[in-house]
Every structure is written in C-alpha cells, then in structure tokens.
Amino acid sequence: MLFTPLKIKSVTIKNRIMMSPMCQYSADTDGLANNWHFVHYVTRAIGGVGLIMMEATAVESRGRITDNDLGLWNDEQIEPLKKIVDECKKYGATVGIQLAHAGRKSEVTDETPVAPSAMNWSNEYKLPHELTKDEIKDITIKFKDAAKRAFKAGFDIIEIHAAHGYLIHEFLSPLSNKRNDEYGGSVENRVRILKEVIKSVKEVWPDNKPIFVRVSADDYINGGINIDEIINILSHIKDTGVDIIDVSSGGLLNAKIDLYPGYQVKYSEKIKEELGFKTATVGLITKAEMAEQLLKDERADLIALGRELLRNPYWPLYAAHDLKEDIKWPKQYERGKFRV
C-alpha cells in the first residue's frame, strides 16, 4: 500500500509517503526562499516522495518562529516558491505548504510576539501581546491572503498549522488560553479561531484542492489537550471541508515525552475511528515494513517522515526495494536501480 496512489479531491498523490514540514531556518529576514530551499525540496522529489509538505511558512512577519523562516505575507515571496514547486512537480511530486503563525513562540528579533493570553512560553521568551478580537480577525485575513499567494505559486495542498504550541494551538489548549471572551473557555470557543481560519482560507482556495490541518493530539501535561479533548475539538471542524488531519503531538510546553517508533500512531488511529477523517501519521517511523503495516491496518492514510528524510532524501527508492515494489526511478539514476 505504501506505493498506492491516494486521490483527494482533484489531487492524486503518487504514493503514501509524505515529507513532514521541517523548518530549514535558511531564509534571509525577507522570508524569501533561496537556493538552499530549491535543492532541499527538489532532491526529495527526485528521491520519490509522493507529497512534499513545505515547512512552516509565516502569514505575517511577526508570525515567524525565527528571523530566518519562510514567509508568504507579500507578493515578492511568491516567485521563489513557484520555482521550487514547478521543479518538484517535474519529478511527480505533489507539493503542499504549511501556513503558520508562531504566536508566543516567535523569536523574531524586532517584533513583539502575540498570543491568546499574555503568557510567555518560558522565561527565555518575550512576553506576548494579548490579541484583541479585531487583531484575531486580521490574522484570519492574513491566512486567507497567504492562501491566495500559495495558489499563485502552484501549490496543490494547504496545511493549516494548529500544532506544536504555535498560535492556533495556543488558542486550542486551556493551558495557554485564559480568555474570557468568545475565543476562550469552552471547546467551542477555543476552536473558533481555527474554524475562522479554515473558512477564510476556503474563500480563496479552490474547492477541488485539499486542505490539511496539523494538530497536536496530546500536550502531555495535566489539564491540557489529550486524545479525548482533541477528538472533541476536531468534531467542531468536521463539517468545514478539511480533508486530512496531520496528527502530531507536544510543543505547547516543555513536557516529557516517551519517544519510540510510531509513538503518535495511536492518536491517528483513534481520530480515524472516532471521526472518520483521513489522517497522516508521523513520529520516528524509519522502516518501510512498519509504514506498510500501518497503512494495511488502516491506522493512517499517509506516512509522514521527518528526520528520516533529512538523513536520506532517497528513502522511497530504498523502501520500494525493501517491499519488492518496482517503481519508476529518475532516468538519470536508472543505472543505480537495485537489481532484483
């Protein structure tokens, strides 16, 4: 199944291997993609990745994690991304982009971070400005504007980043959201900004192109999000037209996490069972046989690889050999194809 195509709306991903979004911290302060990003992503396309999900790309300058993150807050940032997308597609890859806002975890030098509540991530981070309701509306519009630019750049998929302790996750978790208005308190209120961002993006994103949402299914801290809470949260976006939930965990605070191969798969499986969403799973998955088994057991629909694809951009070619699957190699590399 690892090399079975997955059709979502009008987009067909050639296999179930997804490159998880991973920040490269390699842009200049203008947020522009450069030669590093071009080589980095195109290499994974040549290596056979089905879906390349580009790293967290900020919808405004203060929404970057660092000074060197990618951005899509102005039109100048479109063309360098388009160059990467066009080249990746030549090798059969589907290309998505993760639209993001770092919230209180922003370390941008000359900006004041923002958050649902005036609580910093740790003593090493700046105290964030608590967003007003008008400012929240403005951020949802920035997501929409970034989505419009993503379409112009040729991306096939948008992923809304609502995980890892960044802005939307900060609204979702009661540990970081202490508001008393319609954006805080109940689950229905805490999920409001995510629903508004999805709605805003859908105003400009074509109906036939997929939308993913990345969530942290566990804060690993008492009183925070756990699997039951995330299912409750996701039930509120079930009718918004989101196509896949990209299931991760952690990041809200510096919690202790028991790491082992596939440690987050149980969350993906539960979300599929309870809500019927298609899911992507991620987390120390390195072996083709394990990826294959997860798909056959219907615990996920996409297998997202992070660090493993940093180590080995040609992982899909090795995985096909391990699973005795004959896939097409780039013609320039056919001499290196494994002999059966």
Side-chain angles (χ1 to χ4, degrees):
M1 282 189 67
L2 192 60
F3 292 92
T4 300
L6 178 64
K7 190 173 191 301
I8 314 168
K9 293 183 175 173
S10 67
V11 173
T12 299
I13 303 168
K14 70 178 180 180
N15 59 44
R16 306 301 181 95
I17 302 166
M18 170 179 161
M19 181 180 182
S20 197
M22 292 173 285
C23 290
Q24 296 298 293
Y25 309 113
S26 296
D28 291 330
T29 55
D30 54 15
L32 294 170
N34 55 39
N35 286 341
W36 172 264
H37 301 96
F38 184 88
V39 172
H40 172 66
Y41 289 111
V42 174
T43 299
R44 275 72 192 173
I46 292 171
V49 172
L51 170 59
I52 293 171
M53 189 63 72
M54 198 168 285
E55 64 199 84
T57 302
V59 300
E60 64 172 347
S61 176
R62 66 181 177 178
R64 292 172 292 167
I65 303 166
T66 74
D67 291 325
N68 302 114
D69 285 8
L70 291 181
L72 254 183
W73 65 79
N74 66 49
D75 289 350
E76 291 179 11
Q77 294 159 337
I78 297 171
E79 189 56 37
L81 292 172
K82 187 176 189 306
K83 182 181 176 184
I84 296 170
V85 172
D86 289 348
E87 194 68 19
C88 286
K89 288 184 177 183
K90 290 180 183 178
Y91 301 99
T94 299
V95 191
I97 187 166
Q98 186 185 69
L99 298 182
H101 195 298
R104 69 179 185 175
K105 290 179 79 174
S106 174
E107 300 176 66
V108 175
T109 304
D110 297 323
E111 302 272 12
T112 300
V114 297
S117 301
M119 304 164 59
N120 54 2
W121 192 75
S122 75
N123 291 334
E124 285 72 44
Y125 282 72
K126 299 176 189 176
L127 185 68
H129 161 70
E130 183 171 310
L131 289 163
T132 67
K133 287 188 281 187
D134 285 343
E135 289 169 333
I136 292 170
K137 298 293 185 187
D138 186 54
I139 286 173
T140 67
I141 292 170
K142 285 181 165 64
F143 271 92
K144 177 171 74 173
D145 292 342
K148 194 184 303 183
R149 296 184 184 105
F151 176 72
K152 290 179 180 178
F155 286 98
D156 304 297
I157 294 168
I158 279 177
E159 177 167 279
I160 296 167
H161 198 356
H164 299 162
Y166 300 120
L167 183 66
I168 296 176
H169 184 185
E170 292 162 19
F171 273 91
L172 295 178
S173 178
L175 294 175
S176 48
N177 184 347
K178 302 299 182 181
R179 299 177 72 96
N180 295 314
D181 60 10
E182 61 265 41
Y183 289 95
S186 67
V187 169
E188 184 177 8
N189 284 353
R190 284 183 278 119
V191 80
R192 191 178 305 277
I193 187 172
L194 176 56
K195 291 180 72 174
E196 289 178 352
V197 167
I198 294 167
K199 180 181 177 183
S200 188
V201 166
K202 284 177 69 69
E203 288 175 8
V204 296
W205 190 246
D207 289 339
N208 64 342
K209 285 181 176 283
I211 295 175
F212 291 18
V213 171
R214 186 166 233 200
V215 298
S216 285
D218 200 332
D219 287 338
Y220 300 104
I221 297 172
N222 287 338
I225 290 171
N226 57 24
I227 184 57
D228 293 327
E229 178 82 348
I230 202 66
I231 284 176
N232 191 0
I233 287 168
L234 292 176
S235 70
H236 287 79
I237 67 164
K238 188 73 173 70
D239 61 354
T240 60
V242 169
D243 300 283
I244 283 192
I245 304 298
D246 182 3
V247 188
S248 188
S249 65
L252 186 80
L253 291 166
N254 191 17
K256 181 176 173 53
I257 303 173
D258 182 18
L259 302 175
Y260 54 88
Y263 70 101
Q264 296 173 140
V265 173
K266 59 190 175 186
Y267 303 128
S268 165
E269 182 177 26
K270 183 98 170 172
I271 289 167
K272 277 181 67 68
E273 286 178 354
E274 296 282 329
L275 297 174
F277 278 114
K278 284 185 169 60
T279 63
T281 192
V282 65
L284 303 184
I285 300 167
T286 62
K287 303 297 184 185
E289 293 83 359
M290 180 180 180
E292 179 74 8
Q293 191 66 50
L294 294 175
L295 293 167
K296 285 186 173 177
D297 288 343
E298 298 183 352
R299 303 178 75 185
D301 300 276
L302 283 167
I303 305 298
L305 303 179
R307 291 170 178 83
E308 187 62 20
L309 276 173
L310 294 181
R311 290 186 287 263
N312 183 2
Y314 304 102
W315 188 89
L317 305 181
Y318 288 93
H321 176 67
D322 291 344
L323 296 173
K324 298 179 172 56
E325 189 76 21
D326 185 22
I327 66 168
K328 184 178 179 181
W329 278 46
K331 65 179 182 179
Q332 297 91 337
Y333 288 178
E334 283 178 352
R335 283 172 295 170
K337 191 171 182 180
F338 296 106
R339 298 181 187 275
V340 179

